[in-house]
């Protein structure tokens, strides 16, 4: 552990973003200190140890591209990596590049205040340490702050309550237990089949059903791995030139209504069988912008649910009808719908019978009480801004970032915030982040930040800050592009709508990771247009 209290840069978070940021800063000759709340590296893949946790991006491309040697030496075992395999990979990266000596674990950053006289950030931790640094990079992650979920009586429950985002290190054995699980987003969809295989009884409490498709996960064979590794440079470039960061999915050129019904149906079938999260979303230009076009895709997926779930009433309860396909994050699953064909699994529709309270022995709805031995909360996250707002970040004027963002996050390129000099938000709000391959987004941001710091050093600059005008214009552009889609039609975590009282604002940039990359490059080519510097 590096005890230096005056590094060039403080990085908050030792997930995939924080680790690459540390590596890149070192390569540029800058000193850095990474502060991590957990007792291990990995970020999302450290905290999310719930049963069935798995990435929904293919392992060969949910991986760093900065080191060709790392690409060739690491062996992935499955198409979609499990949490344990991902954590093993991340720990390998930390060891291979000797990153741990600059990482402080079990330490949470509580505040970061810009000190005008010194032109430095004063970063305070929960251990009482104060670190001074010229720059701060917030690598806190987009889905790292579990959403608060409190029901009357929760503290009186005699069994155990678990949150998917804070799963016990030692795991949980549900054998012989009656389990109640609340939430059917991504973590619920992944964990339900695994927990159901153990539990004596399982009751799933669902408010809003999700669109989910079969992952088609499988072991990777040697010939396939060899072929992909031989084409890595070509495929990485294809990733960078795509909207979603998928090298095998091209941006669409036709409307859903430019083709015949038979051709469109065949395209959706291929997408369903591909095991790709974005295959159907990116089939046609208007799936995410036109309700009628979207309905062709949504209707196809609904028909597949009806085929897979034997009980028509349960199938209908599992069928999303209240929002457009893709406007809430779609999911990939392994055996999800078939789980509801099992006799010991029940589904409770919270739209018809809302949750009322947790009792000593179970969960009460408006119509019934369900006795359970354990409760699993798959209730999601305070996405995009939750982890940032949990820290007291104050800029030049002394105003807290959470106050500036009281009506929703505003930033320039999702990278910088006016009045907050020398502060960078890695994959922050108003960047593509969660709408593309996260590692691709991380690498693009880290490379941009490090290039910027080298530019500043070469030109004798000490401070950088986005201008208010550039920030405002980018926010207007993000909103304009977002409002041209169907995303605002859903009450999703993309919109902040899953957290009571949170401003309802579309928080990601939906213009595409490739378009966004070009914009960031143009900013640099125009002498960092939209930023101001001080010597």
């Amino acid at each position: 552990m590096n005890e230096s209290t005056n590094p060039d840069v403080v990085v908050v978070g030792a997930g995939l973003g924080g680790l690459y940021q540390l590596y890149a800063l070192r390569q540029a000759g800058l000193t850095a200190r990474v502060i991590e709340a957990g007792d291990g590296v990995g970020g999302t893949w450290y905290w999310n140890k719930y049963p069935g946790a798995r990435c929904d991006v293919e392992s060969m491309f949910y991986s760093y591209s900065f080191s060709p040697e790392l690409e060739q030496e690491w062996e992935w075992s499955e198409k979609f990596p499990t949490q344990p395999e991902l954590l093993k990979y991340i720990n390998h990266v930390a060891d291979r590049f000797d990153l741990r000596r600059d990482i402080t674990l079990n330490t949470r950053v509580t505040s970061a205040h810009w000190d005008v006289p010194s032109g430095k950030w004063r970063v305070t931790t929960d251990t009482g340490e104060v670190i001074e640094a010229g720059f701060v990079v917030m690598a806190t992650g987009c889905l790292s702050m579990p959403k608060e979920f409190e029901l009357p009586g929760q503290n009186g429950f005699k069994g155990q309550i678990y949150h998917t985002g804070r799963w016990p290190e030692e795991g949980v054995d549900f054998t012989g237990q009656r389990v109640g699980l609340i939430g059917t987003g991504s973590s619920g969809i992944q964990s339900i089949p695994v927990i159901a295989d153990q539990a004596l009884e399982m009751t799933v409490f669902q408010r809003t059903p999700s669109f989910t498709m079969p992952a088609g996960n499988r072991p990777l064979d040697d010939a396939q791995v060899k072929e992909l590794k031989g084409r890595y440079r070509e495929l990485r470039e294809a990733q960078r030139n795509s909207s979603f960061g998928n090298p095998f999915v091209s941006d669409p050129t036709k409307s859903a209504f430019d083709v015949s019904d038979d051709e469109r149906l065949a395209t959706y079938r291929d997408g369903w069988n591909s095991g790709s999260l974005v295959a159907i979303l990116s089939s046609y230009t208007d799936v995410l912008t036109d309700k009628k076009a979207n309905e062709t895709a949504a209707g196809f997926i609904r028909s597949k649910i009806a085929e897979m779930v034997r009980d028509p009433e349960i199938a209908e309860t599992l069928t999303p009808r209240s929002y457009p396909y893709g406007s809430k994050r779609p999911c990939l699953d392994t055996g999800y719908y078939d789980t509801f064909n099992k006799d010991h699994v029940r589904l409770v529709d919270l739209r018809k019978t809302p949750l009322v309270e947790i009792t000593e022995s179970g969960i009460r709805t408006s119509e019934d009480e369900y006795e359970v031995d354990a409760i699993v909360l798959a209730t999601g996250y305070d996405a995009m801004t939750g982890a940032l707002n949990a820290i007291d970040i104050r800029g030049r004027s002394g105003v807290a970032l959470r106050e500036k963002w009281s009506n929703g996050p505003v930033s320039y390129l999702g990278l910088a915030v006016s009045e907050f000099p020398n502060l960078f938000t890695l994959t922050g709000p108003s960047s593509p982040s969660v709408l593309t391959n996260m590692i691709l987004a991380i690498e693009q941001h880290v490379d941009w930040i490090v290039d910027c710091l080298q530019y500043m050093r070469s030109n004798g600059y000490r401070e950088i800050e986005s201008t208010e005008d550039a920030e405002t214009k980018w926010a207007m552009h993000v909103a304009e592009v977002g409002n041209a889609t169907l995303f605002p039609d859903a009450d999703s975590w993309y919109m902040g709508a899953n957290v009571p009282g949170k401003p309802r604002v579309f928080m990601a940039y939906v213009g595409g990771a490739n378009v966004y990359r070009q914009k960031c490059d143009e900013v640099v080519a125009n002498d960092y247009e939209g930023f101001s510097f001080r010597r």
Side-chain angles (χ1 to χ4, degrees):
M1 182 181 73
N2 186 342
E3 293 292 350
S4 170
T5 56
N6 57 347
D8 295 320
V9 185
V10 167
V11 179
V12 184
L16 287 159
L19 292 183
Y20 180 49
Q21 185 69 74
L22 172 58
Y23 171 84
L25 289 167
R26 278 194 196 162
Q27 294 298 107
L30 294 161
T31 60
R33 176 102 174 266
V34 180
I35 309 298
E36 167 58 43
D39 64 4
V41 301
T44 289
W45 302 111
Y46 168 84
W47 294 108
N48 284 273
K49 300 180 175 77
Y50 61 84
R54 186 186 296 274
C55 186
D56 53 16
V57 177
E58 293 187 34
S59 57
M60 296 286 288
F61 300 97
Y62 190 83
S63 55
Y64 290 120
S65 69
F66 70 84
S67 168
E69 294 78 17
L70 175 64
E71 287 178 327
Q72 295 300 319
E73 72 192 20
W74 183 261
E75 297 292 337
W76 294 102
S77 67
E78 297 179 74
K79 178 182 177 182
F80 294 106
T82 61
Q83 178 271 335
E85 185 169 22
L86 276 162
L87 192 58
K88 185 178 179 182
Y89 169 74
I90 295 167
N91 275 284
H92 170 76
V93 170
D95 292 332
R96 190 192 191 285
F97 298 103
D98 188 26
L99 300 179
R100 296 187 195 275
R101 59 184 166 89
D102 291 319
I103 301 172
T104 302
L105 300 173
N106 294 307
T107 305
R108 188 175 295 276
V109 170
T110 56
S111 68
H113 293 178
W114 177 255
D115 183 61
V116 175
S118 67
K120 289 190 174 184
W121 283 96
R122 292 175 58 84
V123 179
T124 304
T125 74
D126 60 358
T127 66
E129 182 183 9
V130 178
I131 310 166
E132 291 192 351
F135 298 85
V136 169
V137 177
M138 303 303 296
T140 48
C142 297
L143 293 167
S144 57
M145 179 62 67
K147 185 181 72 173
E148 292 295 328
F149 184 84
E150 291 290 339
L151 276 176
Q154 191 163 317
N155 293 332
F157 179 60
K158 289 184 176 179
Q160 293 294 315
I161 298 179
Y162 307 97
H163 192 290
T164 50
R166 293 293 182 266
W167 205 256
E169 179 72 31
E170 66 277 10
V172 182
D173 184 0
F174 292 106
T175 302
Q177 294 190 39
R178 300 165 299 173
V179 181
L181 184 145
I182 301 172
T184 52
S186 182
S187 57
I189 283 170
Q190 289 187 333
S191 59
I192 285 166
V194 180
I195 296 174
D197 281 345
Q198 296 179 356
L200 176 68
E201 295 178 2
M202 185 163 191
T203 306
V204 176
F205 297 84
Q206 172 190 271
R207 183 181 61 184
T208 307
S210 294
F211 284 100
T212 179
M213 303 189 300
N217 189 47
R218 62 181 183 275
L220 292 173
D221 64 72
D222 293 342
Q224 180 186 16
V225 170
K226 183 178 179 181
E227 190 266 337
L228 291 175
K229 285 188 174 183
R231 297 174 56 207
Y232 246 143
R233 300 278 59 79
E234 165 201 343
L235 293 171
R236 294 296 196 187
E237 190 61 24
Q239 275 187 279
R240 295 184 183 98
N241 289 323
S242 71
S243 294
F244 290 109
N246 187 317
F248 305 115
V249 176
S250 301
D251 289 348
T253 58
K254 295 180 180 178
S255 160
F257 301 111
D258 286 342
V259 300
S260 67
D261 292 350
D262 288 344
E263 181 180 341
R264 187 170 59 245
L265 182 60
T267 298
Y268 291 156
R269 282 198 190 111
D270 289 344
W272 177 267
N273 294 324
S274 71
S276 167
L277 187 68
V278 298
I280 291 180
L281 280 178
S282 58
S283 296
Y284 300 105
T285 56
D286 44 6
V287 169
L288 279 171
T289 59
D290 180 83
K291 288 184 178 180
K292 289 184 178 179
N294 185 276
E295 186 58 27
T296 65
F300 169 79
I301 297 173
R302 293 184 191 118
S303 71
K304 302 300 287 186
I305 298 171
E307 289 175 12
M308 290 184 288
V309 182
R310 290 196 292 266
D311 185 312
E313 185 177 348
I314 296 174
E316 179 56 32
T317 301
L318 290 166
T319 300
R321 297 191 183 276
S322 62
Y323 60 92
Y325 167 59
S327 59
K328 282 176 176 277
R329 183 172 174 81
C331 305
L332 292 180
D333 70 84
T334 301
Y336 177 67
Y337 290 116
D338 187 56
T339 300
F340 293 94
N341 292 325
K342 298 178 179 180
D343 292 338
H344 72 295
V345 177
R346 292 182 294 185
L347 179 64
V348 177
D349 187 351
L350 297 180
R351 294 169 299 180
K352 294 179 179 178
T353 62
L355 282 176
V356 174
E357 64 177 345
I358 305 293
T359 67
E360 287 188 355
S361 57
I363 299 171
R364 187 192 303 278
T365 69
S366 59
E367 285 192 2
D368 207 347
E369 180 176 353
Y370 301 84
E371 291 193 356
V372 296
D373 303 306
I375 296 173
V376 176
L377 302 178
T379 47
Y381 296 86
D382 184 349
M384 307 291 285
T385 59
L388 292 167
N389 286 339
I391 301 171
D392 181 23
I393 305 172
R394 295 179 183 268
R396 185 184 305 282
S397 64
V399 174
L401 182 64
R402 66 171 73 99
E403 292 176 41
K404 173 162 180 163
W405 285 0
S406 60
N407 294 319
V410 178
S411 74
Y412 185 37
L413 303 174
L415 270 166
V417 183
S418 68
E419 291 294 314
F420 290 79
N422 293 10
L423 177 76
F424 296 104
T425 53
L426 204 58
T427 64
S430 303
S431 74
S433 63
V434 294
L435 297 182
T436 188
N437 181 326
M438 278 301 298
I439 297 190
L440 182 78
I442 284 166
E443 289 190 326
Q444 187 261 329
H445 263 195
V446 167
D447 293 343
W448 193 98
I449 290 167
V450 172
D451 287 347
C452 177
L453 295 183
Q454 290 178 309
Y455 171 84
M456 290 179 67
R457 186 167 54 183
S458 298
N459 289 276
Y461 295 127
R462 286 191 60 188
E463 296 180 21
I464 180 175
E465 184 181 331
S466 73
T467 67
E468 188 174 355
D469 181 61
E471 180 180 79
T472 300
K473 287 179 179 177
W474 181 251
M476 291 172 63
H477 173 63
V478 170
E480 181 183 13
V481 175
N483 288 334
T485 72
L486 299 174
F487 281 100
D489 288 17
D491 289 332
S492 68
W493 57 257
Y494 292 139
M495 301 293 300
N498 65 320
V499 177
K502 189 169 181 176
R504 198 177 192 282
V505 176
F506 186 54
M507 293 184 288
Y509 178 63
V510 74
N514 47 355
V515 173
Y516 174 81
R517 180 184 294 271
Q518 292 168 8
K519 172 62 178 176
C520 290
D521 290 346
E522 287 172 9
V523 166
V524 174
N526 293 328
D527 296 324
Y528 288 89
E529 181 181 20
F531 288 94
S532 62
F533 294 92
R534 295 179 185 87
R535 284 191 166 85

